[in-house]
Amino acid sequence: MSRLRPLLVALGLLAAWQAVCWASGAPPYILPDPLRVARALWGRADLILPHAVTTALEILSGLAIGTALGAASALLLAASRRAREWVLPVLVVSQALPVFALAPLLVLWLGYGLPSKVAMAVLIIYFPVTTAFFDGLRRTPEGWIELARVMDARPAAILWRIRVPAALPAFASGLRVAAAVAPIGAVVGEWVGSSSGLGYLMLHANARMQTDLLFASLFVLCLMALLLWHAVDRLLRRLVPWPSEPLHPA
Amino acid sequence: MQPAEPAPALHLEVERLAFEGRTLMEGLVLDLPAGRTTCLLGPSGIGKSTLLRLVAGLLPGAVRSASDGLPLEGRIAWMAQSDLLLPWLSVEDNLLLGYRLRGARGTELARARERARGLLARVGLAERARALPHQLSGGMRQRAALARTLVEDRPIVLMDEPFSALDAITRHRLQDLAAELLTDRTVLLVTHSPLEALRLGHEVRVLDGAPARLGPPLRPAGTPPRIADPALLAQEAQLLDALAGTSVPPLEAAA
């Protein structure tokens, strides 16, 4: 039953969608029914696919770069008191800035191509990854650090062999958030200015009243986002198999 | 199991130690006889763990010296109440943690691994060397922690209520095992159990009062691990009375 549940939920949603179409009598250019969207998906696959590849590239590069930058920043903050004193307030204040508002600027500076979208995704991912990992690095159970000190470990060894692995579960939850929001960054970047990508295709289809194509693109985008989240989740479960809390809080 | 080098006696002096304006200890002197186990008793909150941390060098504020005049760095092993096993390392790798942290490799690491395997067999965990800590029971984890403390092969061993989180039977077994494996090391064992102190200690000291003071050493007859015979149980009752009857610390100090 639990294996069938997602399928049943999907079927239920489709049925509800179809029911709304019938009940409202909305014309297809306002609300296409599921079958029409499926036909658009199948019939225009050759159009959708290249755009999907563009968006996937943007998301994956954004995720990779944002995660790397976030992890490096968290390590720097954890290792150096001076970095904490100078950089942390800037980082917190920078979050008051709505990142989406930067999208037009990014397009202006980096052009219509891939870099502006990747930058957008990086900006969105960077903060959750940094804070989650840094938080984890700060909360190493004191007992582990004391044990390491009695074992005559240097601070660098304590950081790499105890604090970093201890922070991996927290880092993993940051990475899960990042995987969930990365597609948003890429698509917002595409909406502001682009010549390819699913966001671009959706705007294009919208302007031409090809609402079925818009829905089909949206479906592909959702599918990609779900696949990405599950891939990241599975990978993290394999890499971080231990319980996130110590068995006896020290 | 003999230590690699003869265990020195340890001398510690605390001139004055205050925490949040309250004097915890003043003019306190602790002597740990060489190659003997000293058990430290006292009401909770009195500063037993603080004293142990001072001996370990984890807290500043004490002058420590060894009877052989050599520095104490690298000669102390520590075992806490919780096992402190790292959840991402296998049991065997947890035993080797100290060597890894100090950057040991090659033959040194290989020798440590041999030693770790031998100790795992002694504590009955040879079969579980590759297991992760969360796959073990509480008693097994504490046995692994004991083995990790001994893999370090250090002449001075400090133990902070290492058996208090265990059930009575597991605790009894581990006490015997620890007494056997800690022979000829200079051991300081903090405990809240008078019986544990009487079973395992060559000397039993009581920490009490505000600021905390050490009572004179009590030396039960025989060698540890002692059997809990009527004489020992009578001594336990006396100690319990003394601990309960003496100045009970105010509530905020007990926290």
Side-chain angles (χ1 to χ4, degrees):
Chain A
M1 188 62 200
S2 63
R3 282 179 152 269
L4 281 179
R5 201 177 296 138
L7 193 67
L8 288 177
V9 170
L11 284 176
L13 286 174
L14 281 176
W17 178 2
Q18 183 69 57
V20 170
C21 290
W22 276 332
S24 65
Y29 61 86
I30 298 290
L31 181 63
D33 59 43
L35 205 64
R36 187 181 281 268
V37 172
R39 269 205 299 273
L41 188 62
W42 183 250
R44 314 289 293 274
D46 56 334
L47 174 68
I48 296 173
L49 195 66
H51 288 290
V53 169
T54 304
T55 303
L57 261 177
E58 292 163 2
I59 294 172
L60 290 177
S61 354
L63 193 61
I65 298 172
T67 303
L69 283 179
S73 306
L75 279 174
L76 182 71
L77 288 173
S80 144
R81 171 196 289 268
R82 188 151 296 174
R84 275 197 299 282
E85 286 168 355
W86 285 91
V87 180
L88 205 56
V90 179
L91 210 63
V92 172
V93 170
S94 76
Q95 280 310 292
L97 204 72
V99 185
F100 297 122
L102 291 179
L105 262 184
L106 291 179
V107 173
L108 182 69
W109 289 341
L110 301 173
Y112 276 77
L114 201 71
S116 58
K117 284 69 185 177
V118 173
M120 190 69 213
V122 167
L123 280 183
I124 274 198
I125 289 163
Y126 175 76
F127 196 69
V129 170
T130 307
T131 47
F133 192 27
F134 177 54
D135 229 37
L137 286 169
R138 265 202 307 194
R139 286 185 200 192
T140 318
E142 199 52 39
W144 290 346
I145 293 182
E146 289 183 332
L147 180 68
R149 281 176 54 199
V150 176
M151 288 170 164
D152 308 308
R154 292 167 193 280
I158 294 181
L159 179 66
W160 287 109
R161 291 196 176 267
I162 295 189
R163 293 176 69 196
V164 168
L168 284 183
F171 180 59
S173 35
L175 212 54
R176 285 190 183 95
V177 173
V181 298
I184 304 176
V187 168
V188 167
E190 286 172 3
W191 281 347
V192 173
S194 61
S195 49
S196 73
L198 288 173
Y200 165 80
L201 187 61
M202 282 159 74
L203 274 191
H204 197 73
N206 198 25
R208 280 150 218 266
M209 292 284 198
Q210 295 176 339
T211 316
D212 51 352
L213 180 60
L214 189 154
F215 269 76
S217 313
L218 190 60
F219 177 78
V220 174
L221 185 65
C222 286
L223 204 66
M224 275 170 29
L226 275 176
L227 278 177
L228 178 68
W229 194 88
H230 274 282
V232 168
D233 187 54
R234 291 195 76 161
L235 184 72
L236 291 175
R237 270 169 209 275
R238 185 166 300 184
L239 293 179
V240 188
W242 61 91
S244 60
E245 289 298 310
L247 299 162
H248 298 297
Chain B
M1 195 171 284
Q2 298 282 322
E5 51 170 311
L10 199 143
H11 178 78
L12 174 124
E13 279 178 41
V14 185
E15 200 175 303
R16 183 170 179 274
L17 187 80
F19 182 67
E20 288 177 351
R22 202 166 56 89
T23 305
L24 283 177
M25 294 167 194
E26 200 164 13
L28 187 142
V29 176
L30 173 66
D31 277 296
L32 303 180
R36 293 281 179 266
T37 297
T38 306
C39 290
L40 186 63
L41 279 168
S44 57
I46 197 75
K48 298 190 297 285
S49 290
T50 305
L51 189 55
L52 190 105
R53 282 182 157 73
L54 285 167
V55 180
L58 287 169
L59 285 175
V63 181
R64 307 177 295 163
S65 59
S67 57
D68 54 13
L70 298 171
L72 284 164
E73 275 68 42
R75 297 206 287 168
I76 293 179
W78 183 57
M79 183 177 177
Q81 179 178 358
S82 60
D83 52 69
L84 298 180
L85 296 174
L86 299 176
W88 57 88
L89 294 181
S90 69
V91 170
E92 186 179 304
D93 286 334
N94 261 296
L95 259 61
L96 294 171
L97 178 67
Y99 294 87
R100 286 273 162 69
L101 283 170
R102 293 186 292 271
R105 48 188 89 213
T107 49
E108 191 192 356
L109 192 63
R111 225 175 295 137
R113 193 180 296 279
E114 279 304 301
R115 198 177 150 70
R117 290 192 176 147
L119 275 161
L120 274 178
R122 290 295 298 276
V123 301
L125 286 174
E127 310 285 305
R128 310 306 302 272
R130 310 264 20 116
L132 288 177
H134 71 265
Q135 296 164 329
L136 303 183
S137 71
M140 287 174 164
R141 284 201 296 273
Q142 208 59 5
R143 275 188 269 159
L146 176 64
R148 179 192 58 206
T149 311
L150 291 163
V151 170
E152 290 286 279
D153 196 12
R154 295 185 160 188
I156 301 162
V157 178
L158 309 175
M159 305 173 106
D160 194 355
E161 303 195 10
F163 312 120
S164 61
L166 302 171
D167 64 85
I169 298 164
T170 314
R171 181 162 61 231
H172 192 88
R173 282 199 191 125
L174 262 178
Q175 285 169 354
D176 286 349
L177 186 64
E180 185 194 336
L181 296 175
L182 289 168
T183 309
D184 292 334
R185 285 167 215 271
T186 303
V187 179
L188 177 61
L189 174 77
V190 165
T191 173
H192 58 240
S193 155
L195 186 60
E196 181 168 287
L198 289 168
R199 286 195 68 221
L200 298 183
H202 295 90
E203 284 192 2
V204 178
R205 309 290 301 261
V206 175
L207 189 68
D208 201 7
R213 243 177 290 277
L214 273 173
L218 177 75
R219 298 191 182 90
T223 47
R226 300 185 186 86
I227 299 160
D229 58 12
L232 205 72
L233 292 176
Q235 257 181 321
E236 184 203 10
Q238 278 173 10
L239 265 174
L240 270 173
D241 271 346
L243 283 167
T246 47
S247 59
V248 176
L251 271 182
E252 73 266 15

